[in-house]
Amino acid sequence: MHLFFVLPATVVVMAVSIFPAIYAVYLSFTNRRLMWLGTMKFLGLENYSRMFNDSLFLHSLRLQFTFMALAIPIELIIGFLVALLFLKDFPLSRLLRSLLMLPVYVLPVVSGLTWRLMLQPEYGMLGKLFKQISLGPAAWLADVRFAFVAVVLQDVWRMWPFMFMVLYAGLTSIPNEYLEAAQLDGATPFQRLFWVIIPLIKPVIVTALLLRLIDALRIFSEVYVMTYGGPSNATMLLPLYIHRRAFEFGEIGYGSALGVFLMIVSLLITYQLIKRSMRGELA
Amino acid sequence: MKKRLLKLFLFAIALFIVSVELVPILVIITNGFKKDIDIWTKSPFYFKPTVHSYYLIFSNRDFKMSLRNSFTAATISALTSVFFASLAAFGFTRFDFKLKFLLLIAILLTRMIPQITLALPFYLLFRTLGLKDNIVGLSVAHISFNLPYVLALLIPFFASVPRDYEEAARIDGCKMFGVFWRITLPLSSAGLVVAFVFAFLMSWNEFLYALVLTGPNAKTAPIVINAFLGQYAPLWGQLSASSTIMLLPVFAITLGFQRYILKGLWTGGLKG
């Protein structure tokens, strides 16, 4: 009986996700190209060993980790501080809180393009401002270091409110008695923060970090429209590099190997996440 | 008195943070009401509102078609996902069977396969099957991330429907599918709406599959918006106007479904 309900979705997921994923693994063992349909050769693990001699891949891997190591902690800290602020009671706090949600769901493409416009040195708002106060080069997106900073900035803008929302919800669920007890025991605000609040919402923080990690791992559209991976590969994050390999150089086989690598990293993080979030959710 | 001053001070800080945070959104909206030429030549703060850019994009057949495509792909993928996932959510919450958890986790895990990994096999498969540059094909690709997402969203809703009604219906001779269709589904209608709306949003915002899998016929609005960058000069006015159009349903959903946003994000609904 349960099959009647569960089977249709299972079949669909097999067809649209699991089969393509297995096909990607198969392609990663071949020299399949986008256009050329000549004899396809089975390469075994050659594509995978090639990865670790591919300096561009190693470069994009480094960029990817730098990006995540910079953007996510900044988002966490801003989100946490603002969540602490909103715990206090002040006028219009509900309205302001809901306005803060808006950036999270802005289309990534729109966000990337808007930042590109704002950073434009001749007529962009930020571009002009930075030029006036001589912050960095005139054209941020044309500079190897500052283009990367701009990509991080864009991501921080869009995603710190996510951290804020999640942490705010976590903070409001802390029972007041705990904080009052700590206060009665003479704990200073800082002691309360580090010894009561943070330990209590640690699971929330960890889950939020895992979610953001998986999400940041597949960043694509915003960077694609903002810098297209440039200048000179300075913002060539991993998904952009895979896209370029597969669809511009036409190396589907090698691109698939890179894709499978990314998938494995993503699933390893997800495994941790599901273990946490599914605990006790099913009857 | 001191307390009120403190409140006012906190309010001022919060207002400042929110204002700064919303600047880019304001930039999009205001630029939609400027002419391209004014954006290139005048100060960013020059603002003499005109609907010229809106007039241009709505006489642009490419944009109108892409808007329709976006809407179609989002509707098809969201509806299909809700249909299959609601059956599955019922199955997973009402029955016990061997390997239940394993199957559920396997389905949910597919949500986390990076899109770029699936884009490659999709491209080859769709080319063979004639689904390239086809709105149904794009919808199928969107189902790959929407179905597991919708399932994860629906399970708590289905689990919270009281069993008494279902048991009463069964005693009255209702078949299991009847119970699902007549009792559980209507009682979880809030969940169905939430799931549909968020799945719609995921698909609406999606760019990568549209970039790789569509061409002149099935391209969606995000592709056309990006194309306003142009070969010679970026048409920022039209780009911003069309972005604003795309943002309308996004903001309507974000503000209208506030209660569920956290749940939606917590389920892994950050990006398509």
Side-chain angles (χ1 to χ4, degrees), chain B:
Chain B
M1 195 58 211
K2 213 179 135 196
K3 218 170 174 183
R4 270 188 62 186
L5 221 68
L6 179 74
K7 272 188 185 180
L8 221 62
F9 177 65
L10 292 173
F11 168 71
I13 300 179
L15 186 68
F16 174 74
I17 294 171
V18 174
S19 311
V20 170
E21 179 66 10
L22 294 185
V23 164
I25 291 173
L26 221 65
V27 167
I28 306 168
I29 296 172
T30 52
N31 277 323
F33 291 100
K34 294 183 193 174
K35 288 184 180 173
D36 295 316
I37 186 82
D38 288 343
I39 298 175
W40 295 327
T41 53
K42 302 252 168 52
S43 131
F45 299 101
Y46 171 86
F47 189 49
K48 216 178 85 196
T50 152
V51 290
H52 187 67
S53 296
Y54 282 91
Y55 171 75
L56 286 177
I57 57 167
F58 278 111
S59 34
N60 180 334
R61 289 176 67 179
D62 237 27
F63 176 68
K64 279 190 289 188
M65 182 196 70
S66 72
L67 205 58
R68 246 194 329 270
N69 284 339
S70 276
F71 187 80
T72 313
T75 309
I76 295 179
S77 78
L79 272 184
T80 317
S81 302
V82 169
F83 173 76
F84 285 107
S86 58
L87 278 172
F90 186 79
F92 279 119
T93 49
R94 298 303 187 270
F95 299 98
D96 261 319
F97 50 90
K98 242 202 257 170
L99 302 179
K100 175 166 124 170
F101 269 94
L102 212 64
L103 180 63
L104 178 61
I105 288 192
I107 293 179
L108 295 182
L109 266 176
T110 62
R111 175 75 176 79
M112 301 311 191
I113 302 174
Q115 261 165 291
I116 185 68
T117 309
L118 291 183
L120 279 55
F122 273 149
Y123 182 88
L124 296 182
L125 291 168
F126 282 16
R127 197 168 64 180
T128 316
L129 298 170
L131 283 172
K132 247 202 86 200
D133 197 15
N134 178 320
I135 203 68
V136 176
L138 182 65
S139 313
V140 168
H142 285 182
I143 290 170
S144 71
F145 56 73
N146 267 339
L147 202 157
Y149 175 53
V150 168
L151 178 63
L153 270 176
L154 284 181
I155 278 181
F157 282 102
F158 274 62
S160 68
V161 169
R163 305 298 150 91
D164 313 3
Y165 297 111
E166 293 174 8
E167 272 156 30
R170 290 200 67 183
I171 290 165
D172 288 344
C174 206
K175 292 262 165 47
M176 216 49 199
F177 182 75
V179 172
F180 165 74
W181 188 250
R182 298 216 181 94
I183 313 285
T184 318
L185 215 50
L187 283 176
S188 16
S189 51
L192 298 178
V193 173
V194 169
F196 174 84
V197 160
F198 282 107
F200 185 94
L201 203 59
M202 290 296 133
S203 177
W204 184 256
N205 284 2
E206 203 278 329
F207 178 73
L208 174 53
Y209 286 153
L211 178 73
V212 171
L213 303 174
T214 70
N217 298 315
K219 61 182 169 190
T220 55
I223 301 287
V224 174
I225 291 179
N226 183 40
F228 279 126
L229 274 181
Q231 239 175 326
Y232 305 105
L235 306 173
W236 291 116
Q238 294 173 62
L239 190 153
S240 307
S242 45
S243 298
T244 308
I245 303 275
M246 285 303 279
L247 283 176
L248 288 178
V250 177
F251 288 162
I253 291 170
T254 321
L255 295 175
F257 285 78
Q258 262 183 60
R259 278 179 52 203
Y260 299 104
I261 290 256
L262 204 63
K263 194 173 246 159
L265 290 169
W266 215 224
T267 318
L270 292 167
K271 252 178 241 167

Side-chain angles (χ1 to χ4, degrees), chain A residues 216-228:
Chain A
L217 214 47
R218 48 185 176 184
I219 182 170
F220 180 82
S221 344
E222 9 343 13
V223 188
Y224 181 88
V225 300
M226 208 170 148
T227 64
Y228 196 55

Side-chain angles (χ1 to χ4, degrees), chain A:
Chain A
M1 191 59 210
H2 61 270
L3 279 180
F4 174 83
F5 291 101
V6 175
L7 201 60
T10 310
V11 172
V12 173
V13 168
M14 295 262 249
V16 300
S17 288
I18 296 177
F19 172 68
I22 292 171
Y23 189 43
V25 174
Y26 164 76
L27 287 169
S28 75
F29 295 128
T30 70
N31 66 345
R32 180 72 190 248
R33 295 191 61 89
L34 196 59
M35 287 309 162
W36 158 79
L37 290 170
T39 43
M40 196 161 73
K41 258 198 334 213
F42 196 74
L43 298 179
L45 289 172
E46 208 175 289
N47 280 331
Y48 289 92
S49 60
R50 181 181 158 192
M51 270 164 49
F52 296 96
N53 297 315
D54 176 356
S55 58
L56 253 177
F57 164 72
L58 296 173
H59 166 76
S60 73
L61 194 64
R62 237 186 336 263
L63 279 186
Q64 185 71 38
F65 278 111
T66 316
F67 167 71
M68 295 192 297
L70 274 176
I72 298 177
I74 298 176
E75 288 158 15
L76 178 71
I77 291 169
I78 302 179
F80 187 67
L81 291 178
V82 179
L84 285 177
L85 170 70
F86 273 83
L87 275 184
K88 298 273 189 286
D89 170 51
F90 52 83
L92 294 180
S93 68
R94 272 184 75 151
L95 174 73
L96 293 177
R97 222 169 61 216
S98 32
L99 286 176
L100 273 186
M101 292 180 189
L102 294 180
V104 179
Y105 276 116
V106 164
L107 291 83
V109 171
V110 171
S111 169
L113 288 169
T114 307
W115 278 87
R116 183 167 169 168
L117 166 62
M118 289 194 304
L119 288 167
Q120 215 290 335
E122 270 84 44
Y123 49 79
M125 187 183 281
L126 285 179
K128 278 186 119 164
L129 175 75
F130 291 162
K131 206 156 78 179
Q132 248 156 36
I133 60 173
S134 326
L135 184 64
W140 270 41
L141 294 182
D143 180 89
V144 174
R145 257 183 313 161
F146 280 83
F148 187 75
V149 175
V151 166
V152 172
L153 203 63
Q154 184 275 147
D155 196 73
V156 168
W157 170 71
R158 232 161 59 78
M159 281 312 184
W160 79 256
F162 164 74
M163 289 294 191
F164 160 74
M165 279 189 285
V166 167
L167 293 173
Y168 178 80
L171 287 170
T172 46
S173 69
I174 295 177
N176 248 333
E177 297 89 74
Y178 289 0
L179 297 174
E180 279 162 15
Q183 204 159 17
L184 281 180
D185 288 344
T188 64
F190 271 103
Q191 284 172 327
R192 264 183 291 160
L193 181 65
F194 285 104
W195 300 109
V196 184
I197 296 177
I198 291 182
L200 277 173
I201 62 162
K202 205 178 129 210
V204 178
I205 296 180
V206 173
T207 310
L209 283 176
L210 289 172
L211 266 177
R212 274 298 292 136
L213 272 176
I214 299 162
D215 187 50
L217 214 47
R218 48 185 176 184
I219 182 170
F220 180 82
S221 344
E222 9 343 13
V223 188
Y224 181 88
V225 300
M226 208 170 148
T227 64
Y228 196 55
S232 41
N233 298 318
T235 54
M236 187 63 77
L237 296 168
L238 203 44
L240 280 109
Y241 181 56
I242 299 174
H243 175 268
R244 176 155 299 178
R245 271 287 165 199
F247 295 107
E248 262 165 60
F249 301 164
E251 295 175 81
I252 293 270
Y254 182 50
S256 296
L258 299 170
V260 169
F261 170 81
L262 189 67
M263 172 168 77
I264 291 170
V265 177
S266 175
L267 289 182
L268 285 177
I269 304 173
T270 312
Y271 176 69
Q272 297 296 321
L273 182 72
I274 293 200
K275 236 175 35 183
R276 286 167 176 277
S277 65
M278 284 310 291
R279 230 177 263 155
E281 239 178 57
L282 265 192

